[in-house]
């Protein structure tokens, strides 16, 4: 008869069930906290419909939020994933980046069917509708539905659906971006793969159009570029943290890179002087060609984020090489 060993082998903590709960954030703002069984989490503020935290199973924060961020309307929250709608940047007549990031969204308790992964059990549906205030500055009626979902492996997915609800037969056009602030060890240790050789609009040079040169993109000074017809997958590689963010996008043809560097941050009240070193914005966007919707039409744009060990390398951005690279990497992991 087998005998029990002593002392007994400690059991690993039992995974908790995925959960979605309401909570209060800074300044008493309402937020929704998503938790997955293995310890991943995300937080979404109803103000701005804005993701303000995304943590891995070790509790490491993966998004950057400035220590000087203001969580007091009508100021936008500096960091996380602001929603730029119905205008990105200054590409139009509205205030910079539009008004969606400065509005209070509502939880959508009865959303229409969302074609999304059934694996995600921790998610929240938000909705933003036209207000009288909005009609004064942008005379169009819309419904903006946003689902934020945290997958079992810690992946974060944002899916936006925007519908034209005008009753007067008028179409409307808009530009859009997920203004994603990634947390990085040091901007000098980061490189981007997936945007090589692309045409871009340089917002620091009067929106001059140029073509990217070099094998990979690194950072030595301020950058504010809109890459056109960017691929569906982009990698943000942080050498010091040995971590790679993989960004996948759908319905969003462009990609924006932004880091304000030292001189500009000194003039930003909600941004620490040295914080530019620890953040980088990589933003799936639709900017060069605005999206036009007729009444009743709906547009969908999705972003998926994952964080993987930086043994991930450039070959994996080529779908034809992914299987081979995964075999090489798994073999390296087994040997180490």
């Amino acid at each position: 008869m087998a005998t029990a060993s002593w002392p007994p082998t400690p059991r690993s903590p039992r995974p908790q069930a995925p959960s979605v709960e309401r909570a209060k954030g800074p300044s008493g703002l309402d937020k929704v906290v998503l938790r997955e069984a293995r310890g991943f989490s995300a937080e979404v503020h109803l103000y701005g419909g804005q993701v303000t935290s995304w943590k891995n199973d070790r509790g490491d924060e993966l998004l950057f939020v400035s220590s000087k961020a203001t969580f007091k309307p009508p100021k936008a929250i500096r960091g996380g994933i602001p929603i730029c709608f119905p205008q990105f940047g200054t590409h139009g007549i509205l205030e910079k980046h539009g008004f969606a990031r400065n509005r209070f969204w509502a939880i959508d308790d009865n959303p229409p069917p969302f074609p999304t992964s059934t694996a995600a059990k921790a998610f929240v549906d938000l909705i933003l509708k036209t207000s009288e205030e909005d009609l004064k500055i942008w005379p169009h009626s819309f419904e903006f539905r946003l689902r934020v979902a945290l997958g079992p492996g810690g992946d974060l997915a944002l899916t936006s659906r925007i519908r034209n609800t005008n009753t007067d037969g008028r179409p409307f056009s808009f530009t859009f971006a997920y203004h994603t602030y990634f947390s990085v060890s040091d901007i000098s240790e980061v490189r981007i793969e997936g945007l090589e050789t692309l045409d871009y609009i340089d917002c620091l040079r009067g929106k001059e159009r140029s073509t990217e040169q070099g094998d990979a993109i690194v950072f030595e000074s301020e950058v504010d570029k809109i890459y056109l017809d960017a691929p569906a997958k982009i990698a943000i590689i942080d050498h010091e943290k040995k971590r790679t963010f993989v960004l996948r996008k759908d319905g969003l043809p462009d990609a924006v890179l932004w880091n304000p560097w030292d001189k500009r941050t000194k003039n930003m009240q909600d941004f620490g002087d040295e914080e530019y070193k620890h953040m980088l914005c990589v933003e799936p966007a639709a900017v060069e060609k605005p999206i036009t919707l007729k009444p009743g039409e709906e547009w969908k744009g999705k972003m998926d984020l994952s964080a993987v060990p930086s043994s991930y390398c450039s070959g994996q951005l080529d779908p034809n090489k992914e299987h081979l690279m995964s075999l090489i990497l798994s073999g390296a992991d087994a040997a180490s």
Side-chain angles (χ1 to χ4, degrees), residues 79-95:
I81 310 178
I83 302 288
C84 301
F85 170 84
Q87 176 182 300
F88 173 78
T90 56
H91 294 255
I93 61 172
L94 299 175
E95 62 183 297

Side-chain angles (χ1 to χ4, degrees), residues 209-225:
R209 189 164 176 147
S210 302
T211 301
E212 188 61 60
Q213 308 293 328
D215 295 332
I217 297 166
V218 295
F219 302 93
E220 299 174 342
S221 60
E222 182 180 359
V223 62
D224 190 356
K225 296 178 179 179

Side-chain angles (χ1 to χ4, degrees), residues 268-296:
M268 298 166 67
Q269 293 183 348
D270 60 349
F271 206 116
D273 288 353
E274 299 294 314
E275 288 185 329
Y276 74 92
K277 296 177 181 178
H278 306 297
M279 56 73 62
L280 176 66
C281 287
V282 184
E283 314 165 34
V287 180
E288 186 196 26
K289 299 173 183 176
I291 296 154
T292 299
L293 296 178
K294 297 176 183 177

Side-chain angles (χ1 to χ4, degrees), residues 144-165:
F144 187 149
R145 285 185 162 86
L146 171 68
R147 171 168 287 190
V148 181
L150 185 66
D155 294 3
L156 185 67
L158 279 71
T159 306
S160 292
R161 298 194 297 183
I162 298 171
R163 180 178 294 275
N164 182 338
T165 56

